[in-house]
Amino acid sequence: MYKHSMFARIPAYIFSLLFGLLVSLSPFGYGSMHLKLIYCILLISFVAPLQYSSELLLEYLHKTQSIMMLGIINEYIDFQVSPGQPSSIADDAEAFSLVGSGQDAANLINQKEIHWGLLEDSIEDRLDKTGGMLSDSEKTEGEAKEGEMDESKKKSTEGGKQGGPPNKKLKKDKVAGPAGKTARGDGDKAAAAPRVKPELALPTIPADVENSILEDLRNRVQLSNTTLPSACFYTFINTHNGLNCSTISHDGALVAGGFSDSSLKVWNMAKLGSIGNSGELDSAANENTHGSNGGKRSYTLYRGHSGPVYSASFSPLGDFLLSSSSDSTIRLWSTVFNTNLVCYKGHNYPVWDVQFSPYGHYFASASHDRTARVWAMDRVQPLRILAGHLSDVDCVQWHPNCNYIATGSSDKTIRMWDVQNGECMRIFIGHRSSILSLAMSPDGRYLASGDEDGTIMMWDVSNGRCITPLVGHTSCVWSLAFSCEGSLLASGSADSTVKLWDVNSSAKQPKSEESKTGNTNRLRSLKTLPTKSTPVYSLRFSRRNLLFASGALSPNV
Amino acid sequence: MSIVPKETVEVIAQSIGINSLSTDAALALAPDVEYRMREIMQEGIKCMHHSKRTTLTTDDIDSALSMRNVEPLYGFASGDPLRFKRALGHKDLFYLDDKEVDFKEVIEAPLPKAPLDTSLFCHWLAIEGVQPAIPENAPYEVIASLPETKKPEQKSDELPVDIRLPVKHVLSRELQLYFNKITELAVSMSDSILFKEALGSLATDSGIHPLVPYFTLFIEDEVSRGLNDFQLLFALMRLVWGLLQNPHIHVEPYLHQLMPSVVTCILAKKLGKRIADNHWELRDFAANLVAHICKSRFGHNYTSLQTRLTTTLLKPFLDPKRSLPQHYGAVQGLAALGPHVVRLRILPNLETNLGILEEILRDNKKKEMTRHEAWRVYGALLVCLFLQNNHVLMCMWCIPASLN
């Protein structure tokens, strides 16, 4: 018996193929072939043929007196005939992919209540409370802040001796600091989002780390469709097609690359800059220097996996690193001690993606076994198993309030799950190929997804609808990232470009779809930054809104 | 009912030893085979996407097979595309050429070079949205050739690149003819009246300004190549003289090209092939030329000119190893520059020079030629001293006395 995949979409050409199958099978008479066909038709919930094709089919069925076939079709198949000539691919935006349970079921799921707001006591809230603006009433705080400003100035002058981008970043943010402070709150959607309580027990951040994060937030550059970000690009060279994934830490200093030879390599870009200029040997960089030539390696090598490493993720504070591999394990590494801490075994098939939660301690993984699992760092067994996808789960992302997880799959849908009870809260249908990347906006309202055709879709989490598709890339969209105040979306693709999109204009639904799609599309794409034959593997906006991108140089592509 | 024809199934069955496969069985197996192939391909494509690639490799297929719990296929590696060779005697039968390799050869072959280790580079892709024109970024043509994704906002991203096309120098037909004629005359018929006329026109014509760079280049070339040809050299020097005399043209920018050629004519070891060539005259002429350049025309503008010239001229004068004609040239040059130069440069070194000359002149065994040259130099020294400076003459009298 065949076991057809249930997610196969039926555009008109496949429908005609089906029709051809019927035609060729009928001379054989009823028998096992027909049973097989019945089974596969049963799996189809509805078909959207064009008028010509449907008429052809019905005519044939009447002619050959295939009463059984007619009966089956009338009972189980829901025809939605649309006028027009057959074309190779259905172009209408209403072409849905199959979900196995029917469109109604999807709508039912999408009507569940979802609390998409931000956490109550987030760092941004604390920033507002402690007076992001200089206020007279809190003089002590002001003085402390001035002290911090002096410190940051000192840091930036020290950083001035370092060469390269870290230096520029500090200088730039020093300039942007005062401007950032006064302009904060202007169009800051995160401040306007409703607040919710956390469902998971979240770890607390140590005070000094929190202060440095607050400092970063104060010096954040406000981005908008007129103020475009600066982008720093990390290029991997001599990868010999072996780089499978790359990820950048939240502050942009650490870059990790997962390779198909099962190794994980981490570069500390901040330290490399200082070593290069001061010429001192840093002990941390000397860690794994038993190389064959005895030379100093600029990266830290983590060995432990027994299969290609498909995904890596840094903890928000940069002290832990997670990696997932085709050997179906997830490993936790410490970037401070440069060792492997834990090996999480739970999946039975390659783990395609792993992501730390925005607050650390919890992480989610997506695997070929069609499930996503939620883990905590201190338990070897998963806490939740999120099952429901019809094909393997390709990517996973946490919601900013850590209460929901979004997963994208090869069944061309994105599902949103509640972490506490593991229920599927939303199904987003609309993509035409498997979803490769996801990003959630910082205010928690929007979800952006990129697929392998190059289409990016912006979804509204609250009602499960697609706001708009963003067309522009010509090849797979490997990575998406929202800027910290949620006004810009950056996308990196295999066509070696980084595109910047305007979220505010994308969020407005177009009134008349036919005439305006072309024009509105142009309004939303702000900038294309081409690279030199380097497909862009990962993107990250640092807390100060500096865009970091990484990719491997592929000159033959 | 599938892409895989039943003949393929039958052939594969034969290759594993099943000779009598019925056609019905083959027909039933074909869709199954296709389905499994599609399954493996789908899994392989998933592996490919997760390795962030867009080309399917054999590693992806191997991973897909291992996901299905099947042993991987050995003997295939992604590299060059498979090369099929046509089988002899058959029109459309192709095979993969599998060469047999001797084990010994493989073991004893030298190790291939180890591939370079992965490293990470950092550069600015954009600064506040604008891409800087650094070599790590895509060149401007790539940006310009993205027509379908080009948005109107992108026009503001004008790279600050100043592309300067090479300047075309257009010479009129008449000028070209003029230049060709003069150079021809200089090279071949430098004695003729035509050449004199040509020199005259060079000295007075106001429209030959565009030709000046070409003339200087021509002179430079010919001097460096034609040190054997006395006539040519003289003609070239006359050309220079003509150019210098022309009040309408600006020779200044090309002075740095003219000077070396003129100084060569003064100081060269050997000017002209034949003994009868009166290279003394050439050196005199060139010396006067140089002095003219220095003193009257450009000396005021370029203060270092004279000093540089003096140094150049002085070097052979001080060096006893240089040949006597070179000494002669140096003396003439220095003399032409004026009494100051004579006093400062020649007088201090007079003692040594005269000593050398004396030695040569006393030595009767030396060649006649050398003695002649020595006399020439002595004469030049005398002349310059006599003409420029009177009270040194007193010490000069003693020397001829000793020689006689």
Side-chain angles (χ1 to χ4, degrees), chain B residues 13 104 135 286:
Chain B
K104 224 179 160 186

Side-chain angles (χ1 to χ4, degrees), chain A residues 168 229-235 237-238 240 244 269 299 352 368 392 394 452 478 522 527 530 532 537, chain B residues 31 43 46 49-52 67 116-126 128-129 131 135 149 151 157:
Chain A
K168 287 183 192 165
S230 302
C232 175
F233 201 90
Y234 291 126
T235 318
I237 54 169
N238 298 325
H240 314 290
N244 283 348
M269 293 312 284
Y299 56 81
W352 297 135
H368 179 259
D392 54 334
D394 287 319
E452 70 182 86
W478 295 133
R522 235 178 273 142
K527 190 86 190 162
K532 223 175 179 180
Y537 287 1
Chain B
E43 306 279 310
K46 282 183 208 167
H49 280 314
H50 285 287
S51 308
K52 303 270 194 313
M67 278 203 278
L116 291 168
D117 204 4
T118 315
S119 61
L120 196 63
F121 269 120
C122 194
H123 71 96
W124 286 109
L125 183 64
E128 290 184 3
Q131 262 198 319
T149 55
K151 310 284 182 267
D157 177 38

Side-chain angles (χ1 to χ4, degrees), chain B residues 348-396:
Chain B
N349 309 303
L350 204 54
E351 205 66 58
T352 39
N353 266 53
L354 283 177
I356 296 165
L357 284 175
E358 202 176 339
E359 213 185 290
I360 294 172
L361 290 170
R362 273 186 209 231
D363 194 352
N364 288 324
K365 290 190 203 121
K366 290 268 182 180
K367 280 193 292 189
E368 193 54 49
M369 195 67 212
T370 331
R371 297 191 68 187
H372 176 71
E373 281 167 9
W375 271 120
R376 273 279 186 164
V377 177
Y378 178 61
L381 278 170
L382 268 180
V383 166
C384 77
L385 288 170
F386 181 72
L387 286 177
Q388 313 298 342
N389 204 323
N390 285 322
H391 29 306
V392 187
L393 278 176
M394 304 309 290
C395 58
M396 287 308 295

Side-chain angles (χ1 to χ4, degrees), chain A residues 43-79:
Chain A
L43 303 175
I44 303 167
S45 57
F46 73 94
V47 183
L50 291 163
Q51 195 164 14
Y52 175 68
S53 324
S54 72
E55 276 174 14
L56 210 57
L57 174 68
L58 289 172
E59 207 179 292
Y60 172 74
L61 288 173
H62 281 297
K63 199 169 78 175
T64 53
Q65 304 286 314
S66 320
I67 299 162
M68 194 173 170
M69 198 58 55
L70 272 172
I72 292 163
I73 288 174
N74 285 332
E75 204 176 325
Y76 290 105
I77 304 184
D78 173 24
F79 277 101

